[in-house]
Amino acid sequence: MAVIRSERPLDWSQVAAVAAGEPLELCGDARARMMAARVLVEQIVARGIRAYGVNTGVGALCDVIVSPAEQRTLSRNILMSHAVGVGAPLGSAETRAIMAAAVNNFAHGHSGIRLEVAEQLVALLNADCLPEVPAFGSVGYLSHMAHIALVCIGEGHVRYRGERLKGRDALQMLGLEPLVLEAKEGLSLINGTPCVTGLAALAMARAARLLDWTDMVAAMSFENLRGQLAAFDEDSLALRISAGLNLVGERMRITLADSGILATVAGQRTQDPLSMRTIPHVHGAARDVLAATADVVNRELASITDNPIVAGTPDAPRVYSQAHAVGASIALAMDSLATAIAQVAAMAERRLDRLVNPLVSGLPAFLAQPGGTCSGFMIAQYTAASLVAQNRRLAMPASLDGGITSGLQEDHLCHATPAALKALEIIDNAGRIVAIELLAAAQAYDLQSIEAPRAPHTEALRQRVRCVVPTYRDDRPLADDMSVAFRMIADEAPPPLPNPGSIGPRPAISVDGAQQFARVPVTNLAAAGKVRAAASAAVNDGHAAAHMA
């Protein structure tokens, strides 16, 4: 169902839904706001009111006056000179997310672009005719949106129905004409934080799905390693005030309910290793970060991030040339989310190591078939360790990178878009680590020496893996199995929890009167954010929510 940009701004899950392929529509109120803002720009031009990027140059050229006759040229030239991205293009989901966030920003009614400019972007988006956007080269937000906007004027390239086309040819195939940009439109198309905000919404969706999987896979490892269920005792966990921690504890109790294996070993150890007994603490902390990040991303989507902003009335137009396009808060949030997911993945690798290590697992060495001719999961753990190390390098904060651009005019940089891009890379790496743990946990079940039933939910997970990947016997490249498991985690939700309490099934959510499908049952992040400082008893009152993938 279509996502509608109405009188309310989009939230992160709606942007993620558009990124996943849902169409985007503009309601009448949004269209009216954009048209009203355009009138303000026309009045600013007509009255000669100085406005950055409207009748002046940009960056360090902000004090150079541009005549009315040159303002169209300025808008076009801004796109040409700012389209400086390098490297492989972004994926379709990343590009769609940025475009959706840009349209959302214009719909606030303070950018001043003509309605037809926004409609051109919506038409490209809904036709899945996506501009080719090099991933790298931005310290903030400029180059990505410049490459997107090029297509609106018939320049640049797109990917459409599996082909790479010139922008002009693509527009012609869609029955559209290249736009001639008017005053301010070139700057509006590249300015603000839609680039990082779109990418951040996509990171939220992927991280939410990953954390759901990580809880379930951790439960499988916990059961195979014969952990002590006391680690998830509800009364004990309630002593620490954390919505995420208490939610994960509940999920672990539900997932491992009625485990014959764990009943057999109950009370045999005083404490399990930290990678097992701190699952609620580490996974829960990541969920708390996710909830906090959701607040930041939604605030960003609700904010006007242009420079300049137009306001007032046609009789008294106003121009605010401030720094709202600087994405300091969302850069910090992306760095925080990246670190949280990297930590969760690092602990997953530690559980994986315990599964393959015969000194602590109680299982055959490296989960291999008997005999020295089979290595089993020995080297797969190397891969996981390598990805953990890569995440550790990537988790260095981009928001502290700094730098100076535009002849000292822009002498403080927050690197918000690079922060979001590396968060997405860390989430992918984490998914691969958890995928290896998933395969190892399924293999461990096949080699268990305890004659006792598995928990019903972990058995459902094991069967799901075995439907697509058979037991490993060193009879095929393990990388292929790892790829299948990663796609399962990246593209699908884990089996729904039985009797879930605060974690519901896959509900539909209402978006401006339309029903959005929801593929990933996860925590209600907004609710979690509100109760982070409340007593943990309130956590168990949670609500079901659906997050878009």
Side-chain angles (χ1 to χ4, degrees), residues 200 289 292-294 296-297 327-339 399 419 423:
V289 169
T293 304
V296 174
V297 178
S329 61
I330 200 163
L332 291 167
M334 285 294 96
D335 279 342
S336 180
L337 180 63
T339 301
S399 52

Side-chain angles (χ1 to χ4, degrees), residues 6-321:
S6 65
E7 70 278 3
R8 297 189 305 275
L10 300 180
D11 64 28
W12 74 261
S13 64
Q14 291 173 295
V15 173
V18 176
E22 294 297 319
L24 179 65
E25 295 180 5
L26 293 166
C27 77
D29 286 346
R31 293 169 181 271
R33 284 194 300 272
M34 283 188 277
M35 290 188 288
R38 184 62 205 172
V39 172
L40 297 178
V41 172
E42 291 168 353
Q43 287 298 310
I44 289 166
V45 171
R47 299 179 186 203
I49 300 170
R50 182 182 290 200
Y52 173 76
V54 178
N55 45 33
T56 77
V58 296
L61 301 174
C62 61
D63 292 324
V64 178
I65 302 301
V66 176
S67 70
E70 298 174 303
Q71 287 166 12
R72 281 185 174 179
T73 301
L74 172 63
S75 277
R76 181 179 178 87
N77 288 353
I78 284 174
L79 300 193
M80 297 300 187
S81 64
H82 287 58
V84 293
V86 296
L90 295 175
S92 60
E94 287 81 358
T95 304
R96 290 180 64 87
I98 293 171
M99 294 172 73
V103 172
N104 174 74
N105 189 53
F106 300 147
H108 289 310
H110 291 279
S111 298
I113 64 166
R114 289 168 296 155
L115 178 58
E116 49 262 48
V117 178
E119 288 178 330
Q120 188 98 302
L121 287 171
V122 171
L124 291 168
L125 184 62
N126 290 344
D128 210 32
C129 182
L130 302 179
E132 187 174 273
V133 185
F136 304 113
S138 177
V139 297
Y141 45 78
L142 298 172
S143 67
H144 295 80
M145 278 305 303
H147 282 277
I148 289 172
L150 281 178
V151 177
C152 293
I153 64 172
E155 301 291 341
H157 291 86
V158 304
R159 298 294 301 185
Y160 183 52
R161 296 179 177 175
E163 293 186 64
R164 185 177 189 259
L165 304 173
K166 291 183 178 180
R168 185 174 297 272
D169 295 338
L171 292 178
Q172 184 176 19
M173 291 180 69
L174 297 179
L176 302 172
E177 293 291 332
L179 297 172
V180 176
L181 299 181
E182 301 290 346
K184 195 182 185 294
E185 290 181 333
L187 182 59
S188 292
L189 280 165
I190 66 166
N191 219 322
T193 63
C195 181
V196 59
T197 309
L199 294 173
L202 192 60
M204 288 290 301
R206 292 178 180 176
R209 184 195 303 114
L210 174 65
L211 289 176
D212 274 356
W213 269 106
T214 306
D215 290 346
M216 301 297 96
V217 176
M220 295 172 74
S221 295
F222 188 92
E223 189 174 33
N224 272 300
L225 293 169
R226 306 163 194 178
Q228 301 298 303
L229 275 172
F232 311 130
D233 179 78
E234 183 175 7
D235 291 339
S236 173
L237 292 180
L239 297 173
R240 177 175 271 273
I241 308 304
S242 163
L245 178 148
N246 284 275
L247 176 75
V248 174
E250 179 187 21
R251 289 170 63 84
M252 297 301 289
R253 291 191 297 273
I254 294 169
T255 304
L256 293 169
D258 301 321
S259 169
I261 294 175
L262 297 185
T264 300
V265 299
Q268 289 186 4
R269 284 199 296 266
T270 302
Q271 282 189 344
D272 290 314
L274 285 172
S275 61
M276 296 168 64
R277 61 186 164 97
T278 64
I279 291 169
H281 303 75
V282 175
H283 293 196
R287 287 182 178 272
D288 287 341
V289 169
L290 197 66
T293 304
D295 290 342
V296 174
V297 178
N298 284 340
R299 287 201 306 270
E300 203 74 12
L301 287 165
S303 298
I304 296 100
T305 61
D306 291 70
N307 179 28
I309 291 167
V310 296
T313 66
D315 292 333
R318 302 190 67 181
V319 180
Y320 299 109
S321 185

Side-chain angles (χ1 to χ4, degrees), residues 217 220-221 224 351-353 355-356 363 367 377 380 434-447 465-466:
V217 176
M220 295 172 74
S221 295
N224 272 300
R351 290 190 301 269
L352 168 65
D353 182 68
L355 286 171
V356 303
L363 296 162
L367 304 177
F377 282 74
V434 175
I436 299 171
E437 184 187 6
L438 174 62
L439 292 175
Q443 184 89 351
Y445 282 132
D446 295 340
L447 301 174
V465 173
R466 286 292 171 252

